[in-house]
Amino acid sequence: MNNPNTAKTIIKTPAPFDVESIRKDFPILNEQVHGKPLVYLDNAATSQKPKQVIESLDTYYRETNSNIHRGVHTLSEKATAIYEKARGKVKDFINADSTKEIVFVRGATEAINLVAQSFGRNTLKPGDEIIITELEHHSNIVPWQILSEQTGATLRYIPINDAGELILEEYEKLLGDKTRIVAVGHISNALGTINPIKTIIDKAHAVGAKVIVDGAQAVPHTRVDVKELDCDFYVFSGHKLFGPTGIGVLYGKEAILESMPPYQGGGDMIQMVTMEKSTYNTLPYKFEAGTPHIAGVIGLGAAIDYVSELGLEVAAQYEIELLDYANEQASQVTGLNFVGTAKNKTSILSFTIDGIHPHDIGTILDGEGVAIRAGHHCAMPVMERFNIPATARASFAFYNTRQEVDALIQAIDKCQKVFN
Ligand code: C6P
């Protein structure tokens, strides 16, 4: 990774990318919708699963299903071993220092709430400041609003320009000796903007603030190196990374996680419980109360194996070319307005069409077998910034093709005919 701020610079490896053979790994891509071949362009909401992931879940439930960290019997030991092996895969995938820094959670949302409540609630006081951005998903807004109400801290927003890029000069003005936490998305789900997070992290550290990066939209599209970024926390969801739903990751620097109290109490997160008090388990188990999503972790491990073998850099380069093609085709559609035109962006084409509500676009496209998302994308402040209620959003993955982009454009054409 040369410059962590620019995904485009890290994904130059020219290699043949055989999309047709990759598509064979994803059984759902053979489905028909309303009698038409499925064109799945809603990957930012959740991505499809390769058979390697599906089979890992099937095998786990058929052959190894058992609770972990508890049993002395063979199955339990086997399940524990695969579960912990997957933690090692996550550690290597994001280049963390230790498996103690990898906490399994339900998803990016739970990870952010964990940090807000365990780290934020115990360190913030009235007058302290939290900086987030106008680009954030609600998961990276609401937990900080709740925390502000609880602690008396003030929430500040880095504004965005008309292209949907963060205005860094404004960020610098917001930073100061009251800044305690900076929470920023790596890639915007609504617009696809790739934020200069390395710069944001360095500037936050210069004033002594801690930084949490919401990587939900980044891990499927770019190589993440938490050591190089030097972020304090990094979070993501398995289901956007071609893994199962209900599983996600909180990365935190060991010393910071060590200093934080448990988020939830229950089984497995304790060392000893008496009727008077409890002592807590070591990292990362202190933050994993109750029976975890064992199958989910195993499936996430299989997803990481899959993308690692595929080569995320090569896949990301292919996706950028596909987005360029989609932009080119969409720019020829009369009445189509791009929302989010950042110089550094990936995999997302957000748009409106004059005179047609995005929900109607979504419904008519669905009739053509084309799955996109229409709405505010859980990023209402972004919609407010552009003064629109919603956009239509096509979001791409490495298994999408130029033919599918053509199908999208034809479906948009049909939509315009219906409304005219
Ligand atoms: N965005 C989308 O269609 P969960 O739900 O916890 O897996 O992920 C939440 C989340 C957090 N941050 C970003 C940047 C996201 O994009 C998402 C999920 C989906 O854009 C569903 S709303």
Side-chain angles (χ1 to χ4, degrees):
M1 190 166 184
N2 303 328
N3 177 357
N5 278 332
T6 48
K8 284 189 182 184
T9 57
I10 63 157
I11 45 183
K12 278 185 178 154
T13 328
F17 192 76
D18 185 356
V19 68
E20 286 311 325
S21 98
I22 287 163
R23 286 176 69 82
K24 293 197 182 107
D25 288 335
F26 291 82
I28 207 168
L29 298 179
N30 293 323
E31 288 296 304
Q32 302 241 321
V33 171
H34 303 299
K36 313 252 166 65
L38 168 68
V39 175
Y40 187 77
L41 301 178
D42 195 17
N43 294 287
T46 198
S47 56
Q48 297 303 347
K49 319 304 169 200
K51 57 179 191 269
Q52 290 84 341
V53 168
I54 300 167
E55 282 161 13
S56 76
L57 299 176
D58 188 72
T59 307
Y60 167 69
Y61 279 123
R62 282 177 192 279
E63 298 174 11
T64 323
N65 178 49
S66 189
N67 212 327
I68 57 163
H69 299 150
R70 287 156 169 85
V72 289
H73 58 81
T74 304
L75 272 193
S76 173
E77 281 175 2
K78 267 192 187 169
T80 303
I82 326 176
Y83 180 90
E84 291 303 333
K85 193 170 170 198
R87 198 190 303 273
K89 290 179 188 180
V90 175
K91 168 194 141 318
D92 293 342
F93 182 61
I94 59 171
N95 197 27
D97 264 331
S98 153
T99 49
K100 291 182 188 166
E101 299 178 318
I102 307 299
V103 178
F104 288 122
V105 288
R106 277 191 297 137
T109 304
E110 185 171 64
I112 297 168
N113 278 280
L114 190 163
V115 173
Q117 290 303 308
S118 173
F119 175 75
R121 198 156 180 195
N122 287 286
T123 51
L124 264 58
K125 53 184 187 329
D128 286 345
E129 293 183 358
I130 304 162
I131 298 180
I132 64 171
T133 89
E134 276 183 0
L135 266 183
E136 299 314 308
H137 184 279
H138 297 164
S139 293
N140 204 23
I141 300 176
V142 186
W144 306 114
Q145 290 176 336
I146 294 172
L147 180 65
S148 299
E149 280 167 23
Q150 290 167 333
T151 61
T154 308
L155 194 54
R156 305 229 178 270
Y157 289 78
I158 310 174
I160 53 175
N161 63 21
D162 291 341
E165 296 160 326
L166 296 177
I167 306 175
L168 290 184
E169 300 77 49
E170 296 300 323
Y171 172 49
E172 282 171 26
K173 287 186 208 156
L174 293 175
L175 279 169
D177 56 8
K178 290 184 182 151
T179 314
R180 296 283 171 268
I181 296 173
V182 175
V184 59
H186 193 161
I187 295 181
S188 153
N189 72 313
L191 308 181
T193 310
I194 302 170
N195 289 322
I197 51 165
K198 179 62 182 154
T199 306
I200 291 170
I201 292 164
D202 290 347
K203 285 185 191 296
H205 283 167
V207 299
K210 298 284 185 264
V211 185
I212 171 167
V213 180
D214 173 359
Q217 295 295 343
V219 286
H221 302 293
T222 187
R223 176 71 61 205
V224 170
D225 182 330
V226 291
K227 271 214 284 277
E228 188 168 351
L229 288 172
D230 194 28
C231 50
D232 301 290
F233 302 100
Y234 195 100
V235 311
F236 63 93
S237 299
H239 70 97
K240 297 189 201 279
L241 184 63
F242 316 99
T245 51
I247 189 68
V249 171
L250 163 66
Y251 157 81
K253 283 182 180 163
E254 186 178 340
I256 305 177
L257 289 179
E258 204 68 78
S259 73
M260 289 161 49
Y263 175 52
Q264 292 179 335
D268 217 22
M269 53 73 71
I270 52 87
Q271 216 155 43
M272 223 195 48
V273 178
T274 66
M275 286 198 273
E276 289 74 38
K277 68 186 282 282
S278 304
T279 53
Y280 306 126
N281 206 340
T282 51
L283 288 177
Y285 313 110
K286 179 171 83 172
F287 293 110
E288 292 180 5
T291 300
H293 185 5
I294 305 164
V297 167
I298 290 165
L300 175 60
I304 287 175
D305 285 345
Y306 185 84
V307 293
S308 302
E309 201 165 309
L310 184 71
L312 256 186
E313 288 86 353
V314 184
Q317 179 62 41
Y318 172 82
E319 287 170 3
I320 283 177
E321 285 162 17
L322 193 64
L323 181 66
D324 286 347
Y325 179 70
N327 280 334
E328 214 175 275
Q329 299 303 309
S331 65
Q332 289 165 29
V333 177
T334 317
L336 184 147
N337 315 297
F338 292 95
V339 184
T341 51
K343 278 188 226 69
N344 203 11
K345 68 174 280 186
T346 189
S347 297
I348 283 177
L349 171 61
S350 231
F351 61 95
T352 59
I353 296 179
D354 293 342
I356 313 177
H357 193 282
H359 284 146
D360 293 327
I361 302 173
T363 305
I364 292 179
L365 265 54
D366 178 59
E368 299 303 300
V370 180
I372 61 156
R373 184 170 171 187
H376 52 60
H377 315 299
C378 301
M380 287 173 100
V382 175
M383 302 300 126
E384 196 179 321
R385 168 62 178 77
F386 287 97
N387 205 17
I388 47 178
T391 75
R393 182 190 71 181
S395 53
F396 303 99
F398 52 69
Y399 44 65
N400 290 127
T401 63
R402 285 183 173 223
Q403 290 85 336
E404 289 183 313
V405 171
D406 295 341
L408 167 72
I409 301 295
Q410 278 159 23
I412 291 173
D413 186 50
K414 170 141 191 206
C415 186
Q416 288 183 308
K417 288 198 175 100
V418 169
F419 275 83
N420 291 335

